[in-house]
Amino acid sequence: MGTVMKFRNVRPDMGERTAEATALLKTLANQNRLKIVCTLVGGEHSVSQLEETLGIHQPTLSQQLTVLREADIVATRRDAKQVFYRLKEEKAARLVMALYGIFCREHTRH
Amino acid sequence: MGTVMKFRNVRPDMGERTAEATALLKTLANQNRLKIVCTLVGGEHSVSQLEETLGIHQPTLSQQLTVLREADIVATRRDAKQVFYRLKEEKAARLVMALYGIFCREHTRH
DNA sequence: TGATCAATATACAATTAAATATAATGTATG
DNA sequence: CATACATTATATTTAATTGTATATTGATCA
């Protein structure tokens, strides 16, 4: 109760996995990239769709998509002139869902 | 099925909250800080306990604790010479628990 | 075929921020 | 006031972000 929190029997030592976890956190710790990934949770989008939906200008968008691609978080499919992006990494999708629960619903404490 | 994922009916637009969310992600997107927060999920620790447990040398530890303090993620309590840190921000605790679920259990796709 | 347009990607440069080691300083206790 | 512990300052290195310019790729049509 109060503000202190304890989860004594869960012990998330996270140990060896902090490297992997922080890598994912870093990749998503950018407003543009987080918006992109959130959008892709709803299904694949082309670059121009993302550009219009998010209002991120094209080279910036492409650069951040490259970051996500190199982090293996997204995959692409080409259809004629357009390139469609989709989520590939389940961990990223799960993290976004968790963020959604934390930030976009008010404190559903159980 | 496959690698493509869709959550059509969940729509985490995240909208206005990306700023808040990325701020938290950024704060945790550092191995030292993530280890500290993971440790604190198990209850409060003094700086020297953290130093010993995590093997982070003392000024670095103190600097990262300052970052966490300024982000309002931890709070402190002084007992004689020692300062004890504890988690204060529930969102951070919830995010760490989510990370634990994602990285420290193998794919509990239920 | 080659000129052209539209969609996407890359290169580069400039700015700004992050990380961490070393050193110096603060502060409570005994 | 000496000690143990904790914090802050400084300096250096390294990385992230984003704008502008340019390049690539695929489609279209004269």
Side-chain angles (χ1 to χ4, degrees):
Chain A
M1 38 195 50
T3 52
V4 185
M5 314 199 44
K6 294 179 184 178
F7 297 89
R8 295 200 182 289
N9 25 351
V10 185
R11 157 192 71 80
D13 54 30
M14 192 81 49
E16 304 299 309
R17 273 161 267 215
T18 49
E20 194 187 351
T22 55
L24 178 57
L25 290 172
K26 254 186 180 165
T27 306
L28 297 184
N30 172 279
Q31 281 203 58
N32 286 333
R33 291 194 296 268
L34 184 58
K35 284 175 186 168
I36 292 167
V37 172
C38 285
T39 304
L40 296 182
V41 166
E44 72 171 18
H45 287 66
S46 70
V47 176
S48 48
Q49 287 174 331
L50 290 170
E51 189 181 356
E52 199 200 322
T53 303
L54 300 176
I56 300 170
H57 95 153
Q58 187 270 319
T60 299
L61 188 53
S62 192
Q63 281 162 197
Q64 301 307 343
L65 286 169
T66 300
V67 174
L68 293 171
R69 217 182 323 112
E70 287 176 346
D72 263 321
I73 289 175
V74 298
T76 59
R77 171 179 76 83
R78 178 157 220 144
D79 180 12
K81 293 183 199 163
Q82 290 179 306
V83 175
F84 288 86
Y85 280 79
R86 64 180 181 277
L87 279 185
K88 174 189 181 185
E89 173 58 83
E90 192 200 348
K91 288 184 174 77
R94 292 172 72 189
L95 183 50
V96 169
M97 297 309 292
L99 289 172
Y100 181 67
I102 294 168
F103 287 97
C104 299
R105 298 200 236 231
E106 302 309 289
H107 290 220
T108 313
R109 295 281 264 154
H110 96 277
Chain B
M1 42 181 40
T3 52
V4 185
M5 312 197 49
K6 296 178 185 177
F7 297 90
R8 296 201 182 289
N9 26 352
V10 184
R11 158 192 71 78
D13 54 29
M14 192 82 48
E16 304 300 308
R17 274 161 266 215
T18 49
E20 195 187 350
T22 54
L24 178 58
L25 289 171
K26 256 186 178 164
T27 306
L28 297 184
N30 170 280
Q31 281 202 57
N32 286 332
R33 289 194 297 268
L34 184 58
K35 284 176 186 168
I36 292 168
V37 173
C38 285
T39 304
L40 296 182
V41 166
E44 70 170 20
H45 287 68
S46 70
V47 175
S48 47
Q49 287 174 330
L50 289 170
E51 188 181 357
E52 198 199 324
T53 303
L54 300 176
I56 300 171
H57 95 155
Q58 188 268 322
T60 298
L61 188 52
S62 191
Q63 280 163 197
Q64 303 307 343
L65 286 169
T66 300
V67 174
L68 292 171
R69 218 182 324 111
E70 288 177 347
D72 263 320
I73 289 175
V74 298
T76 58
R77 170 179 76 81
R78 178 157 220 143
D79 180 12
K81 295 181 198 163
Q82 289 178 306
V83 174
F84 288 85
Y85 279 80
R86 64 179 183 278
L87 279 186
K88 174 191 182 185
E89 173 57 81
E90 191 200 349
K91 289 184 172 77
R94 292 173 70 190
L95 183 50
V96 168
M97 297 309 292
L99 289 172
Y100 182 68
I102 293 168
F103 287 97
C104 300
R105 297 200 235 234
E106 301 310 289
H107 290 218
T108 311
R109 295 284 264 151
H110 90 281

Coordinates of all heavy atoms in Angstrom, one line a residue, chain B residues 47-48 58-59 62-63 66 69 81-83 85, chain D residues 2-11 16-17:
Chain B
V47 N 22.3 1.8 -1.2 CA 23.2 2.0 -2.3 C 24.4 0.9 -2.2 O 24.7 0.3 -3.2 CB 23.8 3.4 -2.3 CG1 24.9 3.6 -3.4 CG2 22.7 4.4 -2.5
S48 N 24.8 0.7 -1.0 CA 25.9 -0.3 -0.9 C 25.5 -1.7 -1.2 O 26.2 -2.5 -1.8 CB 26.6 -0.2 0.4 OG 25.7 -0.1 1.5
Q58 N 30.6 2.6 -7.6 CA 29.7 3.5 -6.8 C 29.3 4.8 -7.5 O 28.1 5.1 -7.5 CB 30.4 3.7 -5.5 CG 29.6 4.4 -4.4 CD 29.9 5.9 -4.5 OE1 31.1 6.3 -4.7 NE2 28.9 6.7 -4.4
P59 N 30.2 5.6 -8.1 CA 29.7 6.8 -8.7 C 28.8 6.6 -9.9 O 27.8 7.3 -10.0 CB 31.0 7.5 -9.2 CG 32.1 6.9 -8.4 CD 31.7 5.5 -8.1
S62 N 25.5 5.8 -8.4 CA 24.8 7.0 -7.8 C 24.3 7.9 -9.0 O 23.2 8.5 -8.8 CB 25.9 7.8 -7.0 OG 25.2 8.8 -6.3
Q63 N 25.0 8.0 -10.1 CA 24.5 8.8 -11.2 C 23.2 8.2 -11.8 O 22.3 8.9 -12.1 CB 25.6 8.8 -12.3 CG 26.6 9.8 -12.0 CD 27.9 9.6 -12.8 OE1 28.9 10.1 -12.5 NE2 27.8 8.9 -13.9
T66 N 20.4 8.8 -9.6 CA 19.9 10.2 -9.8 C 19.0 10.3 -11.0 O 17.9 10.9 -10.9 CB 21.1 11.1 -10.0 OG1 22.0 11.0 -8.8 CG2 20.7 12.5 -10.1
R69 N 15.8 8.8 -9.9 CA 15.1 9.7 -8.9 C 14.5 10.9 -9.6 O 13.3 11.2 -9.4 CB 16.2 10.2 -7.9 CG 15.6 10.3 -6.5 CD 16.6 10.8 -5.5 NE 18.0 10.4 -5.7 CZ 19.0 11.2 -6.1 NH1 18.8 12.5 -6.4 NH2 20.2 10.7 -6.3
K81 N 23.6 6.3 8.2 CA 24.5 6.6 7.1 C 24.0 6.1 5.8 O 24.5 6.6 4.7 CB 25.9 5.9 7.4 CG 26.6 6.4 8.6 CD 28.0 5.7 8.7 CE 28.6 5.8 10.0 NZ 29.6 4.9 10.3
Q82 N 23.1 5.2 5.8 CA 22.7 4.6 4.5 C 21.5 5.2 3.9 O 20.6 5.7 4.6 CB 22.5 3.1 4.7 CG 23.8 2.4 4.9 CD 23.5 0.9 5.2 OE1 22.8 0.5 6.0 NE2 24.2 0.1 4.4
V83 N 21.4 5.2 2.6 CA 20.2 5.7 1.9 C 19.6 4.5 1.2 O 20.3 3.7 0.5 CB 20.6 6.8 0.9 CG1 19.4 7.1 0.0 CG2 21.1 8.0 1.6
Y85 N 16.9 2.9 -1.3 CA 16.0 3.2 -2.5 C 14.9 2.2 -2.6 O 15.1 1.0 -2.4 CB 16.9 3.1 -3.8 CG 17.7 4.4 -4.0 CD1 18.9 4.6 -3.2 CD2 17.3 5.4 -4.8 CE1 19.6 5.8 -3.4 CE2 18.0 6.6 -5.0 CZ 19.2 6.8 -4.3 OH 19.9 7.9 -4.5
Chain D
dA2 P 41.0 14.9 12.2 OP1 41.8 15.1 13.4 OP2 41.4 15.5 10.9 O5' 40.8 13.3 12.0 C5' 40.4 12.5 13.1 C4' 39.6 11.3 12.7 O4' 38.2 11.6 12.6 C3' 39.9 10.8 11.3 O3' 39.8 9.4 11.3 C2' 38.9 11.4 10.4 C1' 37.7 11.4 11.3 N9 36.7 12.5 11.1 C8 36.9 13.8 10.7 N7 35.8 14.5 10.7 C5 34.8 13.6 11.1 C6 33.4 13.8 11.2 N6 32.8 15.0 11.0 N1 32.7 12.7 11.6 C2 33.3 11.6 11.8 N3 34.6 11.3 11.7 C4 35.3 12.4 11.3
dT3 P 40.5 8.5 10.2 OP1 41.4 7.7 10.9 OP2 40.8 9.4 9.1 O5' 39.2 7.7 9.7 C5' 38.4 7.0 10.6 C4' 37.1 6.7 10.0 O4' 36.2 7.8 10.1 C3' 37.2 6.5 8.5 O3' 37.4 5.2 8.0 C2' 35.9 7.0 7.9 C1' 35.3 7.8 9.1 N1 34.9 9.2 8.7 C2 33.6 9.6 8.9 O2 32.8 8.9 9.3 N3 33.3 10.9 8.6 C4 34.2 11.8 8.1 O4 33.9 13.0 7.8 C5 35.6 11.4 7.9 C7 36.6 12.3 7.3 C6 35.9 10.1 8.2
dA4 P 36.5 3.9 8.3 OP1 36.2 3.8 9.7 OP2 37.3 2.7 7.6 O5' 35.2 4.0 7.5 C5' 34.0 3.5 8.1 C4' 32.8 4.0 7.4 O4' 32.8 5.4 7.3 C3' 32.6 3.4 6.0 O3' 31.2 3.0 6.0 C2' 32.8 4.6 5.1 C1' 32.4 5.8 6.0 N9 33.0 7.1 5.7 C8 34.3 7.3 5.3 N7 34.6 8.5 5.1 C5 33.3 9.2 5.2 C6 32.9 10.5 5.1 N6 33.8 11.5 4.8 N1 31.7 10.8 5.4 C2 30.8 9.9 5.7 N3 31.1 8.5 5.8 C4 32.3 8.3 5.6
dC5 P 30.8 1.9 4.9 OP1 30.1 0.8 5.5 OP2 32.0 1.7 4.0 O5' 29.8 2.8 4.1 C5' 28.8 3.5 4.8 C4' 28.4 4.7 4.0 O4' 29.4 5.6 3.9 C3' 27.9 4.4 2.6 O3' 26.5 4.5 2.5 C2' 28.7 5.5 1.7 C1' 29.1 6.4 2.8 N1 30.4 7.2 2.5 C2 30.3 8.6 2.4 O2 29.2 9.2 2.6 N3 31.4 9.3 2.1 C4 32.5 8.7 1.9 N4 33.6 9.5 1.7 C5 32.7 7.3 2.0 C6 31.6 6.6 2.3
dA6 P 25.7 4.2 1.2 OP1 24.4 3.8 1.6 OP2 26.5 3.4 0.3 O5' 25.7 5.7 0.5 C5' 25.0 6.7 1.2 C4' 25.2 8.0 0.4 O4' 26.6 8.4 0.4 C3' 24.8 8.0 -1.1 O3' 23.7 8.8 -1.2 C2' 26.0 8.4 -1.8 C1' 26.9 9.1 -0.8 N9 28.3 8.9 -1.0 C8 29.1 7.8 -1.0 N7 30.3 8.0 -1.2 C5 30.4 9.4 -1.3 C6 31.5 10.2 -1.5 N6 32.8 9.8 -1.6 N1 31.3 11.6 -1.6 C2 30.0 12.0 -1.4 N3 28.9 11.3 -1.2 C4 29.2 10.0 -1.1
dT7 P 23.1 9.1 -2.6 OP1 21.7 9.5 -2.4 OP2 23.4 8.0 -3.5 O5' 23.9 10.4 -3.1 C5' 23.8 11.6 -2.4 C4' 24.6 12.6 -3.1 O4' 26.0 12.2 -3.1 C3' 24.2 13.0 -4.5 O3' 23.9 14.3 -4.5 C2' 25.5 12.7 -5.3 C1' 26.6 12.8 -4.3 N1 27.8 12.0 -4.5 C2 29.0 12.6 -4.7 O2 29.1 13.8 -4.7 N3 30.1 11.8 -4.9 C4 30.1 10.4 -4.9 O4 31.1 9.8 -5.0 C5 28.8 9.8 -4.7 C7 28.7 8.3 -4.7 C6 27.8 10.6 -4.5
dT8 P 23.2 15.0 -5.8 OP1 22.3 16.1 -5.3 OP2 22.8 13.9 -6.7 O5' 24.5 15.7 -6.4 C5' 25.2 16.7 -5.6 C4' 26.5 17.0 -6.4 O4' 27.3 15.9 -6.4 C3' 26.3 17.5 -7.8 O3' 26.9 18.8 -7.8 C2' 27.0 16.5 -8.6 C1' 28.1 16.0 -7.6 N1 28.6 14.6 -7.9 C2 30.0 14.5 -8.0 O2 30.8 15.4 -8.0 N3 30.4 13.2 -8.2 C4 29.7 12.1 -8.2 O4 30.2 11.0 -8.4 C5 28.3 12.3 -8.1 C7 27.3 11.1 -8.1 C6 27.8 13.5 -7.9
dA9 P 26.7 19.7 -9.1 OP1 26.0 20.9 -8.6 OP2 26.2 18.9 -10.2 O5' 28.2 20.1 -9.4 C5' 29.3 19.3 -8.9 C4' 30.6 19.6 -9.6 O4' 31.3 18.3 -9.8 C3' 30.4 20.2 -11.0 O3' 31.6 21.0 -11.2 C2' 30.3 18.9 -11.9 C1' 31.3 18.0 -11.2 N9 30.9 16.6 -11.3 C8 29.7 16.0 -11.1 N7 29.7 14.7 -11.2 C5 31.0 14.4 -11.4 C6 31.6 13.1 -11.6 N6 31.0 12.0 -11.6 N1 33.0 13.1 -11.8 C2 33.6 14.3 -11.8 N3 33.1 15.6 -11.6 C4 31.8 15.5 -11.4
dT10 P 31.8 21.8 -12.6 OP1 32.4 23.1 -12.2 OP2 30.5 21.8 -13.3 O5' 32.8 20.9 -13.4 C5' 34.0 20.4 -12.7 C4' 34.7 19.5 -13.6 O4' 34.2 18.1 -13.6 C3' 34.7 19.9 -15.1 O3' 36.0 19.8 -15.6 C2' 33.8 18.8 -15.7 C1' 34.1 17.6 -14.9 N1 33.2 16.5 -14.9 C2 33.6 15.2 -14.9 O2 34.8 15.0 -15.0 N3 32.7 14.2 -14.9 C4 31.3 14.4 -14.8 O4 30.6 13.5 -14.8 C5 30.9 15.8 -14.7 C7 29.4 16.1 -14.6 C6 31.8 16.8 -14.8
dA11 P 36.4 20.5 -17.0 OP1 37.6 21.3 -16.8 OP2 35.1 21.0 -17.6 O5' 36.8 19.1 -17.8 C5' 37.6 18.2 -17.1 C4' 37.7 16.9 -18.0 O4' 36.6 16.1 -17.8 C3' 37.8 17.3 -19.5 O3' 38.8 16.5 -20.1 C2' 36.4 16.9 -20.0 C1' 36.0 15.8 -19.0 N9 34.5 15.6 -18.8 C8 33.6 16.6 -18.7 N7 32.4 16.2 -18.4 C5 32.5 14.8 -18.4 C6 31.6 13.8 -18.2 N6 30.3 14.0 -17.9 N1 32.1 12.5 -18.2 C2 33.4 12.3 -18.4 N3 34.3 13.2 -18.6 C4 33.8 14.5 -18.6
dA16 P 23.1 4.6 -30.9 OP1 22.3 3.5 -30.2 OP2 23.7 4.4 -32.2 O5' 22.1 5.9 -30.9 C5' 22.0 6.6 -29.8 C4' 20.9 7.7 -29.9 O4' 21.6 9.0 -30.3 C3' 19.9 7.5 -31.0 O3' 18.7 8.1 -30.6 C2' 20.5 8.2 -32.2 C1' 21.2 9.4 -31.6 N9 22.4 9.8 -32.2 C8 23.4 9.0 -32.7 N7 24.4 9.6 -33.3 C5 24.1 10.9 -33.1 C6 24.8 12.1 -33.5 N6 25.9 12.2 -34.1 N1 24.1 13.3 -33.2 C2 23.0 13.3 -32.6 N3 22.2 12.2 -32.2 C4 22.9 11.1 -32.5
dT17 P 17.4 8.1 -31.4 OP1 16.2 8.1 -30.5 OP2 17.5 7.0 -32.5 O5' 17.4 9.5 -32.1 C5' 17.2 10.7 -31.3 C4' 17.2 11.9 -32.3 O4' 18.5 12.0 -32.8 C3' 16.2 11.7 -33.4 O3' 15.3 12.7 -33.4 C2' 17.1 11.8 -34.7 C1' 18.4 12.5 -34.1 N1 19.7 12.2 -34.8 C2 20.5 13.3 -35.1 O2 20.1 14.5 -34.9 N3 21.6 13.0 -35.7 C4 22.1 11.7 -36.0 O4 23.2 11.5 -36.5 C5 21.2 10.6 -35.6 C7 21.7 9.2 -35.8 C6 20.1 10.9 -35.0

